[in-house]
Structure formats: structure tokens, C-alpha cells
């Protein structure tokens, strides 16, 4: 791969509240190539959404992208770009699809107007041109009878249709990168599959790169080629999608895989990772996963693990990379020993 | 900043919903019956409101065919005075309300949208203004400035009537600011002005429209009260308030002088209040919409 389209380097987005500092994103690096789909997975509170918002510089006060962070996109550092130039990038070169199709559309305007507005913000075409483009875009997203649908209000459309409208809004300017933040979480399972298929289709057609943010490994398996696993504001593992599913290295990723319901094995109870994500104002010292990890040993408490290279395309933030023998004797995680309810 | 999206509170739908409600239709009919003759007073009134045709023979006549609302002690036709007075009262109410609605919406929207120090300063100022009793302030201003020109009267009433609405608008803007569609608009490149004008303001239209309808009724009452106290619209220009005042010293004998403008006020204010409530009903369903 040549020069990546987007490369995030040591991104730190901290929230300064009173005397505490919530380090929601704490030194994240990854890159996306042209036309590639990169998945970011992790449970709630791991910093994946803040990462997405940071790329578009939409983090609200008291959140701040700390100095030393770099977000290189098409030769520009988005962290230091001025506001006007940033607005020019949003929706035009990088756009975002939101999670809730119910609330991400303005209730008082027709959906056609809302799609056309994006074209009008960035283009200089006439109102009619923008409208025609919007209708064309709506038809590309598989909305039947787009001319009529464009004149309807959001509440007149179903959830799946609304998500298609949001996709049309995100893609109308043919951006280089689309950030999809849990794009299917709010939808029925059958609709989810259709929407993912549509995204992949449109990606092929336009050559768009997608940053797919989700907690759903199924979505990752269907869309992404590479995956970044985040935990406690850090990247804990990065690998090709097949590698990750076949040979996850980090115990957290392993836990995520285990937590997926398996159709092949009938089981009454779902596997879970014990405990929950620690508070971002107070990440544990050493390895941030050690309290919940079945393999943790003394080194995990003493030393914050770096990202070890497992193979040229696979990294993992776990000391098991250099001391694999500890994987042999799992023990109940610390949080269970302490009797913390799960 | 041009609003380049058709604001679509679904004007037609709201109107249709309004027309399907009996009391809304009744209120609008009553308003039409009052507003049209008053607005076109020169066409409907048979006499000059300040003419005193025969101060001996025609003074203090009870209602009759020639003078349906009777005449006052100066032989002036009360119906003509009520029509011309209504024109003044309604114009004062409409324009003053327009002033307070516009200013209140702008103030509340800016405060809510700006947030931070700007917002808290603006809200402190509002708290200070709210603590001044409006009626006393108006009486003081008018007492100090006897020959107040009508436009000044309207502006003063308008600029003392926006506090409540601006609080409501600020609250709404605050809630809307956190909505996903605002975040989405920002993520797709919309600037602050566009977000405020195109995405937030159209969504606060409902309380503003309702406040406007209720506000007109309120200002009619206020004007009547002030004119009755002699500090509002000044004689010889008639207004509903000062016609009532004309008849007040002989109310037992010459009841018709105060009675008819009084009825006009009650009916009009009630109609505006009902219309306000009905508008609220008609505008709200879109908020919940269909799941």
C-alpha cells in the first residue's frame, strides 16, 4: 500500500472536567488506505466514538485533542486545520453516518431537502441541481420512487429508509472517507444486512474508504478488511479480519470472540468478560485489562505493555507476545476473585 | 444568511388539522368578524368617531337602529368609536406582539446557542428585567411622558413583553443543540449560522407561534387596562380601553358606552386564547410523528 488516505498518529482526546481528566482516547494510532474498510471494535466507553468525532474535530467541550496528536488526511493535519477549512472537509471529503436514523434527521424538513442541503453547503450549483442530485443519490441508495420519497418528512419513512437517507447525505459529495458510527445498531437484523450490503456496494462503486465503528463483530466480519480493537482508550490489537477471527492474540479480543453467541454449540448461557471498563479518569497502571484478564501475572501490573508485533500485519498490546507460556495456566480474573458482580 | 430550505412545518397539514377542530374554526370566525370591520373601519362605520353631530339632541342615546351601540354624552356614535378604537387596539396588540416575539426569539436563540459565559450573562440580565413589574414600569413611563406618540407606546409595550418567550426559546434551543440531527449537520459541514437558522430555529416555531397568538390577547388586555387608567392611547383617538373609561363614570345610566367595547375585548381576547391553544394542539403531533 502506498501513502494511506488517513493516518491517525498518537491521538489523545482528553476531557477536562473539574480536577479530573478523562482520557477517553489515549494514544491511538491507525491508518486507512484508499478504498479500504477499517473496523474499530470495542465495548461502550472504550473510546471508539470519541476517536471518530476527533477525526472530524467534533469533540465538544470540555473534550480536547491534546497536542502531539496528528490526524493526517490528504496531506493536511486535521488537528491544526482552521475551522473554515475543517468545515470544508466535513461532508465533502470526510462524512459521517450516525447511529440513530430516528434522530439524525431534522423533523421539520423533507428528506430531499436535507440531502440537497449537503450539496448546497459544498457545491455552488443551483437549488434545482442540488435537488436533482439528491433524488439521484436517494435512488442509488435503493429508495423506491425517490422523487416522491424526497418530498416526505422523516417521520413518514421507516427506520431502514431513514438510514438510507443518511447514507445518501453522507455520500452525495463523493467523500474519500465515510465514518460509520454503529450504522446498523438501531435497525432490525434483516434491515441491518441490507444496509451493510448497500454500504459495501456503494463503496465499490465510488471507491470510498470506510471507518466502521461498531461493537458488533458480525458487522466487522461482513464489511471490514482490517480491524482495530480498542480498550480503555487504546488500541489493544490490530490485524487483518481473517487473522483476528482465526487467531486473536490479545485476551480482550479473545474474550470478545467468546462472547459471541455460537450457533454450532448449543449453550444455555452466553460467555461474558467479567467486570466492566474502568473509569476513564482512572485507568489502571500497567496493563489496563489486567483486572479482567484470566492470564495476568506480575509483569502486567508493573509494566504497561507496548504494541508488540505478532506478524507484519498483526500487533497486540499484551505481554503474552513475549512470554507466551503464561497462556497455559488461566486463572479466574481478579475482578471475580474480589467478588465484583459481573 | 438566506434560509434556502423551504421551512416545512407542513403549513398545509397544520392548517387542515386546525380546520378540523370546531373551536379553532369558531375562534377564527369570531376573529374575522371582529378584525375585518375594525381593520376596515372607514368602510363599516357610519359616522366619524370624533364627530359631535348634535350635542343637545343626540347626546347619551341608548342603542337604536340609527346608533346600534348608542351615543355618548358628546353625541358621538359608540359603534363607530368601537370600530375605530378596535383598529387602534388590534394594531397596537399585533405590532407590539410582533416586536416582542421577534426580539424574544432572537434573544433566547442566541443565548441558548452561544452557551457558556455569553448565555449566563444574558440570562442574568433577563432575570433582572423579569424582576421589574411590567405594569408599574409602563405606568411610570407613561406618567412621565404624557403625550406619548402611539408608535413609542407600541414599542415600549413590545420591548417589555418578550422575557417569558425568550426563556422558552432558550430552553428549546438548548435541547435541540444536543440533538443528533444537529450533530449530523455539523458533521456534514454546516456552519454555526446555518445550523441555527436552518436546523434549530424552524424547530422552535411551535412555541413561538403559540406565544404569538396568546400574546396578542394579552396585549389587548394590557392596552385596555393602561388606556382605562389614562396612560395608554390618548384621547381623542379612541381605543377599546379609553372608550370604556369614557363610560365608566356613568356606567349605571349610560351602560352601553362601556358595555360594547368591553364585549369586544372579551370576545377578541378569548378568541385569541382559544386559537393559541388550538394552534398548540395542531402543531404538536408532528413532534411525536409516526414511529
Amino acid at each position: 500500500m502506498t501513502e494511506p488516505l488517513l493516518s491517525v498518529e498518537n491521538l489523545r482526546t482528553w476531557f477536562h472536567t473539574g480536577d479530573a481528566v478523562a482520557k477517553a482516547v489515549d494514544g491511538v494510532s491507525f491508518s486507512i488506505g484508499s478504498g479500504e474498510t477499517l473496523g474499530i471494535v470495542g465495548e461502550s466507553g472504550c473510546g471508539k466514538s470519541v476517536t471518530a468525532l476527533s477525526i472530524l474535530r467534533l469533540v465538544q467541550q470540555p473534550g480536547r485533542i491534546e497536542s502531539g496528536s496528528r490526524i493526517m488526511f490528504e496531506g493536511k493535519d486535521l488537528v491544526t486545520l482552521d475551522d473554515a477549512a475543517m468545515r470544508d472537509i466535513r461532508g465533502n471529503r470526510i462524512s459521517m453516518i450516525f447511529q440513530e436514523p430516528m434522530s439524525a434527521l431534522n423533523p421539520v424538513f423533507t428528506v430531499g431537502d436535507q440531502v440537497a442541503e449537503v450539496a448546497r453547503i459544498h457545491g455552488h450549483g443551483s437549488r434545482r441541481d442540488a435537488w436533482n442530485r439528491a433524488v439521484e443519490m436517494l435512488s442509488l441508495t435503493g429508495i423506491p420512487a425517490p422523487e416522491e420519497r424526497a418530498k416526505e418528512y422523516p417521520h413518514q419513512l421507516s427506520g431502514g429508509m431513514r438510514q438510507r437517507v443518511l447514507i445518501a447525505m453522507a455520500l452525495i459529495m463523493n467523500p474519500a472517507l465515510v465514518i460509520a458510527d454503529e450504522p446498523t445498531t438501531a435497525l432490525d437484523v434483516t434491515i441491518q444486512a441490507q444496509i451493510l450490503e448497500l454500504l459495501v456496494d456503494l463503496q465499490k462503486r465510488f471507491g470510498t474508504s470506510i471507518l466502521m465503528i461498531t461493537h458488533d463483530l458480525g458487522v466487522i466480519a461482513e464489511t471490514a478488511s482490517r480491524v482495530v480493537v480498542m480498550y480503555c482508550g487504546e488500541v489493544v490489537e490490530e490485524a487483518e479480519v481473517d487473522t483476528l477471527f482465526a487467531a486473536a492474540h490479545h485476551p480482550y479480543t479473545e474474550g470478545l470472540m467468546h462472547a459471541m453467541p455460537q450457533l454450532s454449540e448449543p449453550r444455555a448461557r452466553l460467555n461474558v468478560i467479567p467486570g466492566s471498563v474502568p473509569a476513564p479518569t482512572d485507568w489502571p497502571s500497567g496493563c489496563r485489562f489486567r483486572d479482567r484478564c484470566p492470564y495476568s501475572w506480575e509483569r502486567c501490573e508493573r509494566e504497561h505493555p507496548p504494541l508488540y508485533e505478532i506478524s507484519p500485519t498483526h500487533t497486540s498490546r499484551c505481554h503474552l507476545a513475549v512470554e507466551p507460556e503464561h497462556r497455559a495456566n488461566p486463572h479466574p480474573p481478579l475482578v471475580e476473585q474480589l467478588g465484583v458482580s459481573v | 444568511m438566506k434560509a434556502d430550505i423551504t421551512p416545512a412545518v407542513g403549513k398545509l397539514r397544520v392548517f387542515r388539522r386546525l380546520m378540523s377542530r370546531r373551536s379553532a374554526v369558531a375562534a377564527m370566525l369570531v376573529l374575522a368578524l371582529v378584525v375585518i370591520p375594525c381593520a376596515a373601519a372607514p368602510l363599516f362605520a357610519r359616522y366619524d368617531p370624533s364627530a359631535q353631530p348634535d350635542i343637545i339632541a343626540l347626546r347619551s342615546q341608548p342603542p337604536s337602529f340609527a346608533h346600534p351601540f348608542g351615543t355618548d354624552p358628546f353625541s358621538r356614535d359608540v359603534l363607530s368609536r368601537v370600530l375605530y378604537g378596535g383598529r387602534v387596539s388590534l394594531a397596537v396588540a399585533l405590532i407590539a406582539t410582533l416586536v416582542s416575539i421577534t426580539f424574544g426569539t432572537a434573544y433566547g436563540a442566541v443565548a441558548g446557542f452561544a452557551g457558556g459565559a455569553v448565555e449566563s450573562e444574558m440570562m442574568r440580565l433577563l432575570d433582572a428585567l423579569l424582576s421589574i413589574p411590567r405594569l408599574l414600569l409602563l405606568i411610570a413611563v407613561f406618567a412621565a411622558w404624557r403625550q406619548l406618540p402611539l408608535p413609542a407606546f407600541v414599542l415600549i409595550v413590545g420591548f417589555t413583553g418578550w422575557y417569558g418567550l425568550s426563556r422558552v426559546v432558550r430552553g428549546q434551543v438548548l435541547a435541540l443543540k444536543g440533538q443528533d440531527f444537529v450533530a449530523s449537520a455539523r458533521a456534514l459541514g454546516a456552519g454555526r449560522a446555518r445550523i441555527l437558522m436552518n436546523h434549530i430555529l424552524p424547530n422552535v416555531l411551535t412555541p413561538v407561534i403559540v406565544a404569538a397568538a396568546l400574546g396578542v390577547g394579552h396585549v389587548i388586555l394590557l392596552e385596555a387596562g393602561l388606556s382605562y387608567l389614562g396612560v395608554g392611547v390618548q384621547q381623542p383617538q379612541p381605543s377599546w380601553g379609553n372608550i370604556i373609561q369614557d363610560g365608566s363614570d356613568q356606567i349605571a345610566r349610560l351602560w352601553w358606552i362601556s358595555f360594547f367595547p368591553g364585549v369586544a375585548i372579551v370576545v377578541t381576547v378569548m378568541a385569541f386564547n382559544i386559537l393559541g391553544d388550538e394552534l398548540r394542539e395542531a402543531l404538536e403531533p408532528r413532534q411525536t410523528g409516526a414511529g
Side-chain angles (χ1 to χ4, degrees):
Chain A
M1 197 183 303
T2 54
E3 179 86 333
L5 175 73
L6 173 87
S7 96
V8 174
E9 294 158 27
N10 191 28
L11 175 67
R12 289 178 305 148
T13 306
W14 294 357
F15 291 78
H16 303 259
T17 49
D19 41 17
V21 178
K23 300 177 178 177
V25 176
D26 198 15
V28 164
S29 303
F30 59 83
S31 62
I32 306 174
S34 224
E36 187 190 23
T37 300
L38 176 72
I40 296 188
V41 271
E43 61 197 299
S44 309
C46 71
K48 53 192 196 299
S49 288
V50 176
T51 302
L53 292 175
S54 300
I55 294 171
L56 282 169
R57 279 243 311 271
L58 289 172
V59 179
Q60 302 277 322
Q61 286 293 331
R64 204 166 70 198
I65 299 177
E66 300 296 318
S67 59
S69 313
R70 292 210 323 158
I71 301 174
M72 297 306 292
F73 175 78
E74 294 184 333
K76 284 165 279 200
D77 184 358
L78 301 187
V79 175
T80 54
L81 212 57
D82 66 83
D83 287 350
M86 198 62 226
R87 271 203 302 280
D88 211 40
I89 284 183
R90 292 183 196 133
N92 191 15
R93 302 302 301 147
I94 305 180
S95 61
M96 184 151 176
I97 302 171
F98 280 79
Q99 178 172 4
E100 278 288 339
M102 306 297 162
S103 56
L105 289 167
N106 190 333
V108 299
F109 293 112
T110 63
V111 295
D113 274 332
Q114 297 188 53
V115 180
E117 191 195 9
V118 182
R120 287 181 58 77
I121 291 173
H122 297 290
H124 303 283
S126 71
R127 216 178 148 138
R128 181 178 296 273
D129 287 344
W131 178 266
N132 289 340
R133 254 179 102 180
V135 170
E136 190 188 329
M137 205 60 226
L138 287 172
S139 114
L140 278 177
T141 59
I143 290 181
E147 288 91 352
E148 286 84 67
R149 281 313 174 92
K151 292 178 197 139
E152 293 185 354
Y153 292 90
H155 74 261
Q156 292 169 291
L157 302 181
S158 66
M161 285 296 153
R162 282 186 243 192
Q163 193 57 277
R164 286 171 198 269
V165 172
L166 290 179
I167 291 172
M169 286 169 75
L171 290 178
I172 190 165
M173 295 309 294
N174 192 8
L177 174 66
V178 172
I179 300 172
D181 187 2
E182 305 267 7
T184 56
T185 307
L187 302 173
D188 290 346
V189 185
T190 48
I191 309 293
Q192 278 187 17
Q194 290 173 19
I195 294 290
L196 290 178
E197 215 169 286
L198 171 70
L199 269 177
V200 173
D201 263 12
L202 291 175
Q203 173 181 33
K204 280 191 195 124
R205 192 177 184 125
F206 295 121
T208 320
S209 303
I210 296 181
L211 181 60
M212 178 69 74
I213 294 177
T214 181
H215 63 265
D216 186 341
L217 287 165
V219 170
I220 294 289
E222 255 172 271
T223 56
S225 50
R226 246 167 0 104
V227 195
V228 164
V229 181
M230 280 186 71
Y231 184 74
C232 287
E234 292 181 318
V235 174
V236 294
E237 184 159 12
E238 178 177 346
E240 306 279 323
V241 94
D242 299 334
T243 316
L244 193 85
F245 278 86
H249 182 273
H250 197 283
Y252 176 64
T253 317
E254 217 173 50
L256 284 182
M257 298 288 174
H258 267 293
M260 281 203 299
Q262 300 291 332
L263 287 179
S264 48
E265 305 166 47
R267 322 183 53 111
R269 290 174 65 91
L270 204 58
N271 283 311
V272 296
I273 302 175
S276 57
V277 183
T281 46
D282 190 21
W283 296 134
S285 61
C287 174
R288 293 179 182 178
F289 187 60
R290 71 182 148 86
D291 285 355
R292 304 173 72 186
C293 181
Y295 310 116
S296 61
W297 69 101
E298 166 270 334
R299 182 177 183 175
C300 305
E301 193 177 339
R302 181 163 43 84
E303 189 186 334
H304 182 73
L307 269 176
Y308 293 103
E309 188 171 290
I310 311 297
S311 81
T313 58
H314 188 179
T315 53
S316 170
R317 194 180 288 281
C318 180
H319 294 309
L320 285 172
V322 285
E323 292 185 52
E325 63 275 12
H326 287 279
R327 206 185 278 275
N329 48 346
H331 55 76
L334 190 60
V335 286
E336 270 187 0
Q337 293 170 26
L338 294 174
V340 177
S341 63
V342 177
Chain B
M1 183 74 232
K2 53 183 190 293
D4 52 7
I5 317 185
T6 21
V9 185
K11 288 175 218 127
L12 256 178
R13 257 182 315 140
V14 171
F15 186 67
R16 241 182 266 134
R17 213 178 290 137
L18 208 55
M19 293 312 278
S20 70
R21 306 176 68 95
R22 223 189 300 166
S23 42
V25 174
M28 285 191 280
L29 275 179
V30 167
L31 284 180
L33 282 176
V34 175
V35 173
I36 294 171
C38 288
L43 297 178
F44 286 84
R46 275 186 287 174
Y47 305 90
D48 181 323
S50 30
Q52 303 175 8
D54 189 337
I55 198 146
I56 308 297
L58 287 175
R59 65 191 290 235
S60 307
Q61 296 286 308
S64 65
F65 186 72
H67 299 283
F69 288 6
T71 62
D72 68 6
F74 302 105
S75 78
R76 295 179 296 192
D77 179 52
V78 174
L79 174 59
S80 302
R81 287 184 69 71
V82 167
L83 290 175
Y84 276 94
R87 187 150 81 145
V88 173
S89 293
L90 287 169
V92 167
L94 288 174
I95 297 168
T97 305
L98 199 68
V99 169
S100 44
I101 292 294
T102 312
F103 197 72
T105 306
Y107 192 91
V110 168
F113 194 63
V118 176
E119 181 189 12
S120 45
E121 290 308 313
M122 287 176 86
M123 292 333 271
R124 280 310 78 71
L125 176 61
L126 192 58
D127 288 338
L129 291 171
L130 270 166
S131 64
I132 302 169
R134 186 185 190 190
L135 197 62
L136 288 186
L137 175 74
L138 291 173
I139 291 173
V141 168
F142 300 134
W145 191 359
R146 281 314 300 212
Q147 281 311 325
L148 192 65
L150 197 59
F153 174 74
V154 171
L155 283 181
I156 293 170
V157 171
F159 276 111
T160 50
W162 53 272
Y163 316 139
L165 177 68
S166 72
R167 287 194 142 187
V168 172
V169 168
R170 168 195 164 254
Q172 293 263 326
V173 169
L174 230 45
L176 287 163
K177 220 167 50 161
Q179 291 284 309
D180 284 355
F181 66 80
V182 171
S184 170
R186 193 174 292 127
L188 293 173
R192 288 166 70 84
R194 178 181 287 268
I195 286 174
L196 182 60
M197 301 302 289
N198 283 6
H199 292 274
I200 291 183
L201 276 186
N203 280 291
V204 298
L205 230 48
T206 300
V208 172
I209 291 172
V210 173
L214 298 175
V216 172
H218 184 74
V219 176
I220 290 176
L221 285 177
L222 184 70
E223 181 277 325
L226 287 169
S227 299
Y228 181 83
L229 292 173
V231 293
V233 178
Q234 298 299 319
Q235 297 277 10
Q237 188 158 37
S239 82
W240 285 344
N242 69 24
I243 304 172
I244 293 181
Q245 207 248 331
D246 279 348
S248 63
D249 45 356
Q250 300 196 63
I251 191 131
R253 210 162 55 82
L254 309 179
W255 57 268
W256 53 88
I257 302 174
S258 301
F259 177 75
F260 290 108
V263 168
I265 290 172
V266 169
V267 165
T268 310
V269 171
M270 202 163 89
F272 272 114
N273 285 349
I274 291 172
L275 187 65
D277 285 340
E278 293 294 329
L279 271 171
R280 195 199 313 268
E281 294 284 318
L283 287 162
E284 281 299 280
R286 99 198 144 78
Q287 299 291 44
T288 48

